[in-house]
Amino acid sequence: MHTVQEPMIVGIGGTVRPDSSSERALRAVLGAVRAHGARTELFTARDLDFAMYEPDLAHRSPSATAFLDAVRRADGVLISTPGYHGGLSGLLKNALDYLQDLADDDRPYLHGRAVGCIVSAYGPQAGVTTLTSLRSTVHALRGWPTPLGVVVDSTAQPFAADGRVADRKLAAQLATVAEQVARFATAEIRTVA
């Protein structure tokens, strides 16, 4: 009897402020993904503190190598970024630029992987603009953005002091993204197996 392995979902958060709303949203979605039977690995700002990406540089730092190895193993990805002036955080964009190192892999970049996109911004306009930018970047990396992308309006204070999602609508949206990534990742594993 053939059993399907648990999907591996990699979470990538791009803000240097610990316990930020974008990191809290990412942790909530990763928890929901685990409830769907997936394994997870989290990369936050301290894990993504790489030198600026240089395509021709042969050596990669241990942290960049760990990140690239995790994405290689990933069946799905979750990306959560603050919205800075209508775009991704520079830290996150730099980490995504490192995915160029996967160009010659059997599964290049984010090819064939569902990618849940989450943006936290001070107001909805910056969030929507950044979400569009993030989804475009995921497409350029050959990933499949999930049908639902989530914008967290940090002005609404959607999290309780303990980090739990306090806003029911946001909790439902984050749960939906988790379900979509987990289901698509499981479908991918079954297709490959």
Side-chain angles (χ1 to χ4, degrees), residues 59-123:
H59 174 74
R60 297 291 179 227
S61 70
S63 57
T65 300
F67 171 71
L68 292 168
D69 289 344
V71 173
R72 275 188 178 102
R73 293 188 316 273
D75 300 300
V77 177
L78 291 160
I79 301 174
S80 186
T81 182
Y84 289 154
H85 308 291
L88 319 178
S89 74
L91 181 77
L92 179 62
K93 180 61 171 79
N94 187 52
L96 295 176
D97 287 345
Y98 269 78
L99 297 183
Q100 180 61 37
D101 286 9
L102 308 182
D104 294 327
D105 285 11
D106 289 339
R107 289 192 314 166
Y109 311 109
L110 297 173
H111 181 81
R113 287 166 261 210
V115 181
C117 300
I118 306 160
V119 174
S120 180
Y122 197 75

Side-chain angles (χ1 to χ4, degrees), residues 148-174:
L148 180 64
V150 177
V151 173
V152 179
D153 180 358
S154 62
T155 63
Q157 299 181 348
F159 298 96
D162 63 1
R164 181 180 44 80
V165 182
D167 181 282
R168 286 191 310 204
K169 181 178 178 184
L170 176 60
Q173 291 174 339
L174 294 173

Side-chain angles (χ1 to χ4, degrees), residues 17-24 27 161-163:
R17 192 166 47 95
D19 207 30
S20 65
S21 57
S22 62
E23 188 173 314
R24 285 180 173 190
R27 288 181 186 279
D162 63 1

